[in-house]
Structures are given as C-alpha cells and as structure tokens.
Amino acid sequence: MSKKTNERPIFPFTSIVGQEEIFKKLSLILNVIDPKIGGVMIMGDRGTGKSTIVRALVDLLPPIEVIENDLYNSDPYDKELMSDEALEKIKNNEKISIIQIKTPMVDLPLGATEDRVCGTIDIEKAISEGKKAFEPGLLAQANRGILYVDEVNLLDDHLVDVLLDSAASGWNTVEREGISICHPAKFILIGSGNPEEGELRPQLLDRFGMHAQIKTLKEPNLRVKIVQQRELFERNPKEFNLKYQDEQNKLIEKIVTARKNLKNITIKYEILEKISQICSELNVDGLRGDMVTSRAAKALAAFENRLEVTPKDIFTVISLCLRHRLRKDPLQSIDSGVQVQTKFKQVFNYN
C-alpha cells in the first residue's frame, strides 16, 4: 500500500543542462549513493537553478517503507531508525501496518525557530500526565530523506550547528526543564546560498561533505536552451516529464545499483596515502577532508559500475571535497578548485 499525494510537477533532473551543472549534479548524486559523505553546500549567483536541481533530486530516490502513522518515518526493519513509539509497539507485539512513501524532502524556511526545527516538549502536559508530550519538528519529518536549506548562509549559526550535528549523528535530542527526548534524524543535508550575501563560518562550512560553486552561464546557446526548456515545462509539465522518463529511469537504476555495490568498492592504500598527502600539504584541518574524498571516490566508482577507485575518480571529486576546507579567514574567498587540482597533479604525477 502506498500514500497518494497531489504534488506539483517537478522539473526532471536529467533535463537540466550546462557544463557547470555537471559538478552540481555529481555532488548531489554521490551524496544520495552514500549519505555518509556528509551533504553538500551549493553556492551560486541568483537565478542559477540551485533550488530547481535540489528539488529535482528527490524524484531520483526510490520510495521507502515506513510504519504507518509514524511521525518519524520509522524503518519497519531497522530498530536504529525507529522512534520510541514504534519500538514500544514492537516490544508489546502490537500489529504494525507498513506502507510505502516517496522519499521525504523537507524545506527549512529561513525564519524557522529552533522549536520548529527540533520539535517542542509540552512541559505542562509532561508534568501533569507524567508522559513525554513531544511535538516533532522538521528534523523528524526529514528522517530517511533530504533536508534542504536555501540561503543557509543567512541562517543563525546556532541553528546551522544543530542541523549539522543531527546530520552527522543521525539523531535529534531535545532537552527542556530536565526532560529529554531523542529520535532518529538521518537525512542528507543540502544547503544553498548566494556568495554575495556571505559564506558560512569556516568551522561550519568544513562540516559539509562537499561544496559546489556555480556561476551564471555565459554561452548564449546554453542560456537559450535553458529558457526554452523552462517554457516547455511550464506549458505542459506532464508531457515534458514523459519526454525524459526513460533517462530518469536509467539514472534511478544506476543509483540503486551503486547503493547496493558500494560496500564492494576497494581503494588502494597508495591512493589513500596520496589523498592524505594532498590534505596535509594544503594544510587542511582535521581528517574530514581525507575521509570525504575517499568516500566520494568510492561512490563515484560504484556509480560508474566499477569495483576499484582510480586516480581519475580522485581528480573528479577532490575539488568538491576540499576547496571549502582551505579557507582559514572568514573574509577570505573560497578556492575555485585550481589550488586543489594543482596539488593533486603534483602528488599523483597526473596530466
């Protein structure tokens, strides 16, 4: 059984054009294959389609099975991804109904409060009735899906910190007046913003797995094509989506296969050593850069249906994984990727 929803048509992911889009699309696809990469921050000029491509991503994700009427999208087969309520039902041998839903995608509004994001505890009810009266927030809705924050660079730093903590741990904890509630919140965090309005602090930016930077297209023929694509979509969304259905299905199949094969991908020690050498020589703080680069390269190999990571895989992903980790001064601009690629070519002796 599945939920039926009346949804507005979404611009198909495979119809989005432009050379600059390749890296933006790749960063999103790799995070879908391996959410442990840690999400992606997409920075770009106004009107470069950041929101369009993120919202198109959800159509590439297979549906998920959840426990019916559960507010946390609890996985009926994995206790680590179940809410306390679901675990209680299973413990009491209550019958649970399983349904299939579309992978959730939650938009976090810019003016959202911490209570709206994390959820609230009704202290009065908890004291008077002795129950943990909890109203789940956006993190509960996003569990096992995607949480998208547009203009994340304008969000309060504390709130960004909360999102990053939940994305990294897979859990959300709310504490009020000595009462503590914890629930699964495993999601892919995607942020976007306009660099003219400022970047995140380096400490927060470092916690995003990947960083894609998109500039306005200059080629007139591509600009015309994008305008025409949009007009065709708006004129008849259903017909436009049908035109790309085969391409969408092929991409979905590749992603599903890559997810299954990810555990079988190997990466040679010498390559791992060279990744760490690049991070060290670029003065990248911590080990996140090393880990994210190897994870992203494995996801790319899986996506291309190979079993071993090659230097070319590293070259493809390393700028996306490291460029935002080079900035030490909040006023400094983010590297375009040239510095990372130059260092890669030196270390790997790659032409």
Side-chain angles (χ1 to χ4, degrees), residues 72 114-116 118-127 131-137 172-183:
Y72 308 88
E114 187 175 345
D115 282 349
R116 176 77 182 96
C118 300
T120 55
I121 299 172
D122 188 333
I123 303 295
E124 193 176 320
K125 189 175 181 181
I127 294 171
K131 295 179 180 177
K132 290 182 177 180
F134 181 63
E135 183 69 36
N172 173 44
T173 303
V174 181
E175 294 180 338
R176 300 283 187 277
E177 308 295 332
I179 298 171
S180 180
I181 301 282
C182 192
H183 70 77

Side-chain angles (χ1 to χ4, degrees), residues 37-43 164 199-213 282 284-285 288-289 292-293 317-329 332-337 339-340:
I37 287 170
V40 58
M41 177 72 174
I42 301 171
M43 294 299 280
L164 289 163
E199 290 274 7
L200 284 174
R201 287 190 290 114
Q203 298 93 319
L204 293 175
L205 197 55
D206 172 67
R207 293 175 63 186
F208 277 91
M210 305 178 93
H211 186 287
Q213 195 157 6
L282 287 173
V284 173
D285 292 334
R288 277 201 191 101
V292 169
T293 302
V317 303
I318 197 164
S319 293
L320 290 165
C321 300
L322 297 186
R323 58 206 297 277
H324 57 301
R325 304 179 199 279
L326 307 186
R327 188 171 63 116
K328 309 297 180 187
D329 183 346
Q332 185 182 348
S333 60
I334 288 181
D335 176 55
S336 64
Q339 194 178 341
V340 177

Side-chain angles (χ1 to χ4, degrees), residues 71-73 104-106 116 136-145 183:
L71 298 173
Y72 308 88
N73 303 319
M105 177 168 172
V106 175
R116 176 77 182 96
L138 296 174
L139 294 182
Q141 292 176 33
N143 186 37
R144 302 178 63 208
H183 70 77

Side-chain angles (χ1 to χ4, degrees), residues 10 41-42 55 58 64 68 72-73 97 124 143 156 202 247 280 283 285 290 303 333 339:
I10 295 172
M41 177 72 174
I42 301 171
R55 293 192 173 97
V58 76
I64 59 172
E68 190 173 19
Y72 308 88
N73 303 319
S97 179
E124 193 176 320
N143 186 37
D156 179 73
E247 283 183 64
S280 176
N283 198 25
D285 292 334
D290 309 51
F303 182 60
S333 60
Q339 194 178 341

